[in-house]
Amino acid sequence: MSRIRQLSPELINQIAAGEVIERPASVVKELVENSVDAGSTRIEIEIEDGGARLIRVRDNGSGIAVDELPLAVTSHATSKIGSLDDLENVLTLGFRGEALPSIASVARFAMSSRPASQDAGWRLEIEGGRNQTQQPAQHPIGTTIEVRDLFYNVPARRKFLRAERTEFGHIDELVKSMALARMDIEFRLSHNGKPVRLLRPTIDENSALQRVGEVCGDIFIGQSLHLDHAAAGLHLSGWVGLPTASRSQADQQFFYVNGRLVRDRVLAHAVRQAYADVLYHGRHAAFVLYLELDPTMVDVNVHPAKSEVRFREGRLVHDFLYRTLHAALADTRAGSVSSAPTGLAAAPSSFAPSNGAQASTSTAWSAQRADWRTQSPLTLGVREPLAEYALLLGTEQNSAIVDYAQISTMQHSSSTMDEGDGSIPPLGFAVAQLHGIYVLAQNAAGLIVVDMHAAHERITYEKLKAARENDGIRAQILLVPLTLAVSEREAACVEEQAERFVELGFEIRRSGPQSLVIRRYPVLLEGADVGSLVRDVIADLITHGSSRRLEEVQNEVISTMACHGSIRANRRLNLPEMNALLREMEVTERSGQCNHGRPTWVQLSIAELDRLFLRGR
Ligand SMILES: Nc1ncnc2c1ncn2[C@@H]1O[C@H](COP(=O)(O)OP(=O)(O)OP(=O)(O)O)[C@@H](O)[C@H]1O
Ligand SMILES: [Mg+2]
């Protein structure tokens, strides 16, 4: 064994850099965060050679006093906190006093700065953490930091640098994510002397949306919902992408907690669950969300690069998030402007709100409206599986079950379709059925095409879910109770949360230190592997404080029933039946997507149709 010795400050900083400075984008992150913390309103980022040759960040923030310049590059020196109390209340992005010394130890570093209190600026240079020099320099109020030849003295790290384009890509992503965090700041980014991005400060919701579009694309803007909701000391705002704007990668998921971009399991889980009912398998939601809460409720000091946080009340945050998003997504009814999937053009703006303004484009409308008013109720062959479901629920004749002999489609939609105000329903009036698969309808904007099976499946599914919620869960008693071996922690969890299991339709007791006995479970789980399901629910309760797994499995069961109970392809519908389907879609939650997240309808505007036929060119 060699002798224990004290490491040199440079080596200490280089080790710290190993954790925080992974690649050029990490340097940009640290420097831009410092500029943000300094109250800057303009931040300019110049990059050369993907950041390997030069990273220069210029800001108009508070600047650093000449006598504090050397401190700024000393480890554990910070102006942002001074006590544990400050740490628990921290609202700045930085607080560790580690970034600059780390960066300065693995590059050629220069920092020029001037606070308002000084007439002139000063420049400090330092190379690989050594040979520090300082001299007067011209500089406007603010700070410029230059980082050249990153990892020049750490060959092992330098080898890991990827192609220039890849590294710049990471930097661009980082700048975009910072720009979404701080809409009030102007960001400029250039690469090898060429301007790449200019994001002007936003002044209202419109310009904020433009910035979101710059980062997430126009599709996202057209197919997202804005939300703003506060409760229990939590405030969630931002934009959530509709299922039709989902992506094959989780590459447009921006979640900010008190202005800091974070990746967090609790948050990710809540978001995934909120989308569970509307997203196609393997697709990822797109969103830009801001969560604000008391800084003492969240620990930001849990990750070296501060990209993770820990919530003091994880369950509260999880449930708040889930409920808010779930409610927002429930509003994706077919025919509502925001959920309109577009037909031919990518630009979502092609959807025209269906007010009466364009009604005069067709003389057939008034005749159709009369037809819709007098339509006969739609009767579909859906009784069988539904009756089966009614039995499961213990309600032989359930009023909430889809039965178009019973449901008056006119009743609940009368407000939107009052003939007196001349309005046209959002999904218009049916004109024909195509190949037994699609319903074609005419609305104010043009042509609507509906996948009738997909649409009806969603309607049936939502009704079955509502029926279940109204009537509770029917449980069945087991003749031979089921014994389950679990860990002590799991057994304790069941004991503590006994009531939750009752709510879920279970009778389940602890029968020993490491065993449970199940005497009763929901009828809807017949045929499922109840033992492993219970284990999964316990795991959810332990990790997330809540579980929606049972509901999900039950949803799967009723989703299958909905599928079998819905209009099959090739079934002929007459016009009143088609119109009844359109009206149902307009009032059913989530009816913009089928149960698998695919769109149930598309709008082809007159302009899009004109374009197809090269009209007006
Ligand atoms: N652009 C800047 N404008 C004004 N002051 C700055 C700037 N960059 C750094 N500083 C000052 O230098 C100090 C050290 O910066 P450094 O990034 O190393 O640490 P920090 O931001 O306090 O914490 P962290 O390591 O978590 O980022 C900061 O506390 C701040 O006072
Ligand atoms: Mg910092």
Side-chain angles (χ1 to χ4, degrees):
M1 273 296 250
S2 52
R3 290 178 46 224
I4 299 175
R5 68 198 137 203
Q6 177 68 48
L7 299 178
S8 70
E10 293 122 71
L11 191 52
I12 291 174
N13 288 335
Q14 283 164 344
I15 291 170
E19 269 191 314
V20 185
I21 309 301
E22 191 196 338
R23 58 182 353 142
S26 349
V27 174
V28 177
K29 173 178 188 284
E30 294 299 335
L31 299 185
V32 171
E33 286 190 350
N34 281 344
S35 298
V36 170
D37 283 346
S40 313
T41 57
R42 209 175 54 235
I43 302 173
E44 203 179 325
I45 304 129
E46 292 166 69
I47 304 296
E48 282 177 22
D49 193 8
R53 188 164 54 222
L54 172 74
I55 296 165
R56 184 186 289 126
V57 175
R58 208 189 283 273
D59 69 46
N60 64 350
S62 61
I64 306 169
V66 56
D67 55 324
E68 291 184 7
L69 281 176
L71 261 184
V73 289
T74 306
S75 60
H76 310 307
T78 178
S79 58
K80 298 172 191 175
I81 58 166
S83 67
L84 188 61
D85 209 37
D86 292 345
L87 178 62
E88 283 175 359
N89 278 291
V90 76
L91 273 174
T92 49
L93 296 168
F95 52 81
R96 297 162 64 105
E98 255 180 1
L100 294 189
S102 302
I103 296 166
S105 72
V106 293
R108 298 183 221 278
F109 180 94
M111 169 164 67
S112 310
S113 192
R114 185 189 144 203
S117 58
Q118 275 172 219
D119 293 336
W122 282 78
R123 179 179 170 95
L124 176 150
E125 288 182 15
I126 178 167
E127 235 178 68
R130 296 177 210 214
N131 308 327
Q132 192 171 313
T133 58
Q134 198 168 314
Q135 71 220 30
Q138 288 275 5
H139 200 277
I141 293 172
T143 304
T144 301
I145 291 183
E146 285 169 11
V147 177
R148 290 180 189 275
D149 304 327
L150 182 65
F151 301 137
Y152 81 97
N153 56 347
V154 197
R157 267 287 153 107
R158 188 139 184 121
K159 267 206 297 241
F160 278 100
L161 287 184
R162 298 275 162 252
E164 176 177 357
R165 220 160 49 111
T166 310
E167 294 300 345
F168 184 75
H170 285 286
I171 293 172
D172 190 31
E173 285 309 308
L174 185 273
V175 171
K176 288 194 292 188
S177 74
M178 295 294 294
L180 286 185
R182 289 299 299 265
M183 297 272 189
D184 53 333
I185 299 178
E186 175 178 309
F187 288 87
R188 284 168 192 260
L189 173 65
S190 68
H191 192 202
N192 296 331
K194 285 196 205 78
V196 174
R197 231 165 254 291
L198 165 57
L199 296 146
R200 296 200 189 282
T202 68
I203 39 166
D204 52 21
E205 197 168 302
N206 230 359
S207 48
L209 199 55
Q210 255 175 24
R211 186 175 278 203
V212 172
E214 171 103 5
V215 173
C216 300
D218 286 340
I219 302 257
F220 179 80
I221 298 195
Q223 304 200 12
S224 61
L225 303 168
H226 183 253
L227 56 93
D228 196 321
H229 179 62
L234 303 167
H235 181 193
L236 184 72
S237 58
W239 295 265
V240 285
L242 292 167
T244 38
S246 69
R247 304 176 63 80
S248 61
Q249 308 281 330
D251 59 346
Q252 276 187 6
Q253 303 193 334
F254 298 93
F255 205 111
Y256 301 90
V257 175
N258 288 346
R260 186 189 306 280
L261 181 73
V262 296
R263 304 226 159 267
D264 180 82
R265 275 188 325 141
V266 174
L267 301 179
H269 187 261
V271 173
R272 239 192 346 267
Q273 280 197 330
Y275 273 94
D277 226 8
V278 287
L279 216 53
Y280 196 55
H281 224 64
R283 301 289 293 177
H284 299 270
F287 52 81
V288 178
L289 287 170
Y290 306 88
L291 178 69
E292 313 283 333
L293 72 170
D294 188 318
T296 58
M297 299 293 286
V298 51
D299 191 352
V300 293
N301 184 30
V302 294
H303 186 269
K306 309 182 201 83
S307 54
E308 286 171 21
V309 291
R310 194 179 298 140
F311 294 103
R312 215 140 287 181
E313 303 241 19
R315 177 160 163 201
L316 179 81
V317 173
H318 181 280
D319 290 357
F320 168 76
L321 207 64
Y322 168 76
R323 288 216 182 99
T324 311
L325 296 180
H326 187 75
L329 290 168
D331 238 1
T332 54
R333 291 177 178 81
S336 69
V337 178
S338 51
S339 68
T342 48
L344 301 176
S349 54
S350 61
F351 181 79
S354 48
N355 51 36
Q358 288 182 40
S360 59
T361 51
S362 167
T363 48
W365 288 81
S366 47
Q368 284 218 7
R369 202 153 50 226
D371 173 44
W372 140 75
R373 280 221 149 239
T374 55
Q375 67 195 221
S376 58
L378 174 62
T379 317
L380 302 169
V382 294
R383 286 304 282 166
E384 231 174 85
L386 301 172
E388 184 185 312
Y389 181 72
L391 280 172
L392 291 176
L393 284 170
T395 50
E396 245 76 328
Q397 275 302 111
N398 193 292
S399 61
I401 279 171
V402 194
D403 184 344
Y404 294 87
Q406 285 178 19
I407 293 163
S408 161
T409 51
M410 256 104 63
Q411 252 170 18
H412 39 221
S413 18
S414 59
S415 59
T416 51
M417 287 180 283
D418 190 331
E419 213 182 15
D421 69 10
S423 70
I424 296 156
L427 295 181
F429 301 103
V431 288
Q433 190 180 13
L434 192 69
H435 284 283
I437 303 170
Y438 298 108
V439 169
L440 307 184
Q442 170 175 308
N443 73 346
L447 174 69
I448 295 272
V449 183
V450 170
D451 178 336
M452 69 183 203
H453 174 72
H456 192 239
E457 192 178 330
R458 168 62 80 177
I459 292 168
T460 312
Y461 178 52
E462 291 296 328
K463 281 182 193 300
L464 289 174
K465 278 200 303 185
R468 181 193 56 198
E469 261 141 52
N470 291 340
D471 293 294
I473 299 162
R474 219 164 68 107
Q476 99 178 0
I477 299 172
L478 289 170
L479 291 177
V480 184
L482 194 69
T483 311
L484 207 60
V486 291
S487 72
E488 276 195 40
R489 185 161 179 222
E490 288 169 325
C493 168
V494 170
E495 236 173 3
E496 283 158 22
Q497 315 229 23
E499 251 173 54
R500 287 194 149 238
F501 282 93
V502 174
E503 280 165 26
L504 295 168
F506 278 90
E507 188 184 319
I508 174 166
R509 296 250 164 75
R510 188 174 188 167
S511 53
Q514 297 191 337
S515 65
L516 299 171
V517 55
I518 302 171
R519 289 182 202 284
R520 196 195 276 258
Y521 64 75
V523 177
L524 265 180
L525 295 180
E526 186 66 66
D529 182 352
V530 174
S532 57
L533 203 59
V534 166
R535 274 205 192 87
D536 290 348
V537 171
I538 299 173
D540 283 350
L541 289 175
I542 291 175
T543 343
H544 307 294
S546 65
S547 177
R548 305 190 55 80
R549 204 173 285 268
L550 284 172
E551 194 178 323
E552 276 160 21
V553 173
Q554 290 175 6
N555 281 354
E556 262 167 46
V557 175
I558 51 183
S559 157
T560 311
M561 289 167 56
C563 179
H564 293 303
S566 300
I567 330 171
R568 309 310 304 182
N570 290 325
R571 193 174 123 61
R572 268 186 173 283
L573 299 185
N574 59 30
L575 280 182
E577 286 174 330
M578 290 186 244
N579 280 323
L581 178 67
L582 298 176
R583 301 295 79 81
E584 278 292 328
M585 287 174 71
E586 285 159 0
V587 295
T588 302
E589 289 185 344
R590 289 172 278 267
S591 62
Q593 308 86 40
C594 78
N595 299 347
H596 316 286
R598 287 187 292 262
T600 53
W601 65 293
V602 282
Q603 168 88 63
L604 294 178
S605 69
I606 292 290
E608 284 164 336
L609 291 169
D610 283 350
R611 231 173 292 147
L612 269 184
F613 294 97
L614 310 176
R615 255 170 166 265
R617 289 222 181 146

